[in-house]
Amino acid sequence: MNDSQANLWSAKQSAELYGIDEWGSGYFGISDNGNVEVRAQGDHGQVAVPLTDIIDGLSQRGLQMPVLLRIENLVDSRLSILNESFAHAIATTGYQGQYRGAFPIKVNQQSHIVEEIARFGERYNHGLEAGSKAELMIAMSVLQNRESLIICNGYKDAEFIDLGLQARKLGFKCIFVLETVAEVKLVIERSRALDVDPIIGVRLKLSTKVDGHWAEDSGDRSLFGLTTKELVEIIDLLRAAELIHSLQLLHFHLGSQIPNIRNIRAGVLEACRYYIEMVGEGAPLSYIDLGGGLAIDYDGTSSVSGHSRNYSVEEYCVDVVEAIAQQLDAHELPHPTIVTESGRATVAHTSVLLFNVLDVGHFNPGPIPEQLPEKLHEQISNLWYTVKGVKLEKLQECYNDVIYYRDQVRDCFFSGEINLRDRAFAENLCLVGLQKIVELIPQMKRIPPELEELPEQLADIYYGNFSVFQSLPDSWAINQVFPVMPIHRLDEKPSRQATIADLTCDCDGKLDKFAGPEGETNTVSLHPINPDEEYYLGVFLVGAYQETLGDLHNLFGDTNVASVRINGDGSLDFVHELHGDSISDVLSYVEYDPQSMFRQFRMAAEQAVRDGRITVSDRQQMLAAYSESLRGYTYFER
């Protein structure tokens, strides 16, 4: 591609190519000069800050790539959208209850995120969901608003229950959601011991099945929730203990990232039947908790794929409110407080993984001579004539012959009939043929399956300065697709198709599934690398689960982290900076003692001096370098 072709490309075309206007939800876009920018509400309309400006600010503050960037404004915005959408749905439908949100701490347990949610959510009485004793202790320490709910899910021992009862004494609306019959007996015992009336909920196992990535965990095979028989047993136990008045919440969870709004509405209607029957049994229910499941659009397709959804937040809220009112009005029951535990939809947009590209692996052939060299093996000659004869009219046949003769040449190399240089010549010749075929494929009326995959097989490999296992574990573990794109040069046409490899020496350490305007693709469009110029990529919508689930593959530790806030005048505040793990840090995580390691290395260096292999000056330089490395970043440093 020459300069004139590149100049014909526009930022608008890049926006369409990467789908940023769809999955970006108005928070991310591309400026006319080709930079991805973060957008927020300012004093006089929308303001925008290029990600490259933020990277410059990070570099000045000593934070190298890779960096996990959090944008405070987006936490605030996501909480506002959810709460105000429910408020609008309640007002327009005449619903008589209210809404209370509870963020599941497990979705992002980082203190800065949870504290932001507590702070920004205070005006909406937005609470927290805790699934463990540690998470309950977080909730009790960061929530200041006593109108906010603390929803306690998961299996609970006596200590967990005692913590929740102490929270009740402090004035928190702390609700125990029972997962098993055994738990109700423990709650009864501990509430009597501490002389505290608990607030109790029950988690139901609904029969409703959902679409999407987590479909197998819904319905009768759900891992969590009470059966109808167990529910009746719990009601009877609470009545016998004179605690039926404590049973105030009905909880269900259909699954994470539910793509189809019809599944959600069906689940709500089924749960309402239980609600009505439980009220008939004497339980004074006043809360109905839908759990999580509110999806986000990872790929921008607004479809029922596992990476998208066919509804908006506003439609979700209206459907939930209408479904509950419809069912309960028919039985003349008061409208309960609606609770949701939306995690992914609250924080996914708030974080972006930024990294630089270190190198590129190409499958581009080198030049070949005009004439067939003499004294080549017969199979190499056959390959030569096949490559020279590639034509559109017989493209599949040409492909078959190129692959056949390539394999024949390899067999000859294994048997010693051809030497290393002849094989290298043949491999390059094969690449020439395959690239000629790829160039002609778009002209075919019907592309055979084998040839459809050929461009992907010849795609570049861009080597990124990050670890999939540390920063994007869901892309490896459950094939989650995240939006990936360059954050600059977007007024130039991205002419290369590529997959992305990380720094780990693992075949799974790669990104080879990408969000595209037509759905999932196996390659992403990128720009050729310019010498002596950094090329930056961003992975978006990574605020949910990725930080907590990350592991230490190859001992690549936590990345540098920065939180920024965009002010109303468009200026930027770096409100939180956290340097990533040093090599010393990650070694200690796997039970090495860095100080002991340094002593052992010093002894080895001293022995080398005594043996005459190095000088004392060499020893000092080696010790200084070893010590500096222990303090250094685990990722690639320029």
Side-chain angles (χ1 to χ4, degrees), residues 41 45 102 110 142 224 232 279 287 339 374 383 387 411 416 451 487 498 513 520 527 555 561 608 623:
Q41 187 60 41
Q110 304 302 317
V142 302
F224 304 102
V232 170
V279 171
Y287 299 95
V339 181
E374 297 181 357
L383 179 58
V387 169
D411 289 342
L451 299 190
I487 65 163
K513 301 293 180 187
E520 187 177 300
H527 302 89
L555 296 186
V561 177
L623 291 179

Side-chain angles (χ1 to χ4, degrees), residues 339-408:
V339 181
T340 68
E341 301 169 14
S342 297
R344 190 183 303 269
T346 304
V347 296
H349 294 82
T350 65
S351 297
V352 183
L353 176 67
L354 300 171
F355 63 91
N356 54 322
V357 172
L358 303 175
D359 199 2
V360 181
H362 296 290
F363 291 85
N364 297 334
I368 60 173
E370 290 295 325
Q371 302 297 324
L372 177 66
E374 297 181 357
K375 297 181 181 180
L376 285 178
H377 192 280
E378 178 186 4
Q379 300 295 2
I380 301 178
S381 298
N382 292 336
L383 179 58
W384 169 277
Y385 288 115
T386 298
V387 169
K388 286 293 186 178
V390 169
K391 295 180 180 178
L392 177 63
E393 296 77 23
K394 52 176 184 175
L395 211 54
Q396 177 71 65
E397 179 185 344
C398 292
Y399 172 77
N400 295 340
D401 289 346
V402 167
I403 297 303
Y404 173 77
Y405 289 123
R406 181 203 65 185
D407 291 345
Q408 290 295 305

Side-chain angles (χ1 to χ4, degrees), residues 136 140 152 159-168 174 176:
L136 176 55
M140 292 168 64
C152 296
E159 186 178 2
F160 193 150
I161 292 167
D162 285 357
L163 279 170
L165 293 172
Q166 290 162 7
R168 289 276 297 128
C174 184
F176 297 116

Side-chain angles (χ1 to χ4, degrees), residues 112-302:
H112 192 66
I113 290 289
V114 177
E115 288 165 3
E116 284 177 357
I117 288 170
R119 177 162 57 95
F120 295 136
E122 186 170 4
R123 65 187 185 276
Y124 298 114
N125 301 317
H126 205 94
L128 297 168
E129 181 268 341
S132 68
K133 288 178 281 190
E135 290 181 352
L136 176 55
M137 295 175 75
I138 291 171
M140 292 168 64
S141 68
V142 302
L143 280 180
Q144 302 298 317
N145 187 343
R146 294 301 187 265
E147 289 301 309
S148 301
L149 301 180
I150 300 177
I151 305 292
C152 296
N153 289 322
Y155 295 110
K156 307 164 195 69
D157 60 12
E159 186 178 2
F160 193 150
I161 292 167
D162 285 357
L163 279 170
L165 293 172
Q166 290 162 7
R168 289 276 297 128
K169 284 186 174 182
L170 295 174
F172 287 104
K173 291 187 176 180
C174 184
I175 304 175
F176 297 116
V177 178
L178 303 179
E179 307 272 358
T180 67
V181 174
E183 281 185 346
V184 70
K185 298 175 181 177
L186 197 54
V187 169
I188 292 169
E189 174 191 323
R190 297 313 303 161
S191 63
R192 286 173 174 167
L194 296 181
D195 193 25
V196 181
D197 253 11
I199 306 176
I200 295 173
V202 287
R203 179 169 180 169
L204 303 181
K205 183 180 292 191
L206 300 184
S207 60
T208 301
K209 293 280 290 180
V210 303
D211 300 321
H213 202 93
W214 285 269
E216 295 303 314
D217 192 38
S218 61
D220 295 333
R221 291 298 299 167
S222 174
L223 295 176
F224 304 102
L226 301 163
T227 64
T228 307
K229 178 179 177 298
E230 291 169 332
L231 174 61
V232 170
E233 187 176 351
I234 283 175
I235 291 172
D236 290 343
L237 285 169
L238 289 174
R239 183 180 289 113
E242 298 183 347
L243 281 175
I244 192 68
H245 63 277
S246 293
L247 183 51
Q248 299 179 27
L249 179 142
L250 179 151
H251 179 289
F252 66 96
H253 177 70
L254 296 174
S256 183
Q257 182 68 13
I258 302 172
N260 195 334
I261 189 63
R262 292 188 294 277
N263 299 156
I264 295 171
R265 191 175 183 101
V268 172
L269 292 174
E270 182 184 358
C272 285
R273 281 296 309 139
Y274 280 92
Y275 188 99
I276 292 162
E277 292 298 322
M278 288 174 65
V279 171
E281 288 281 337
L285 296 178
S286 57
Y287 299 95
I288 184 166
D289 183 348
L290 282 64
L294 175 58
I296 64 169
D297 195 351
Y298 283 102
D299 61 19
T301 61
S302 297

Side-chain angles (χ1 to χ4, degrees), residues 5 49 60 62 88 101 105 144 162 166 232 241 258 299 339 384 393 485 527 535 538 562 565 602 622 630:
Q5 289 174 313
V49 176
Q60 292 165 11
H88 184 261
I105 296 174
Q144 302 298 317
D162 285 357
Q166 290 162 7
V232 170
I258 302 172
D299 61 19
V339 181
W384 169 277
E393 296 77 23
M485 65 180 292
H527 302 89
Y535 188 58
R565 182 161 188 88
R602 182 180 58 77
M622 290 179 181
L630 284 173

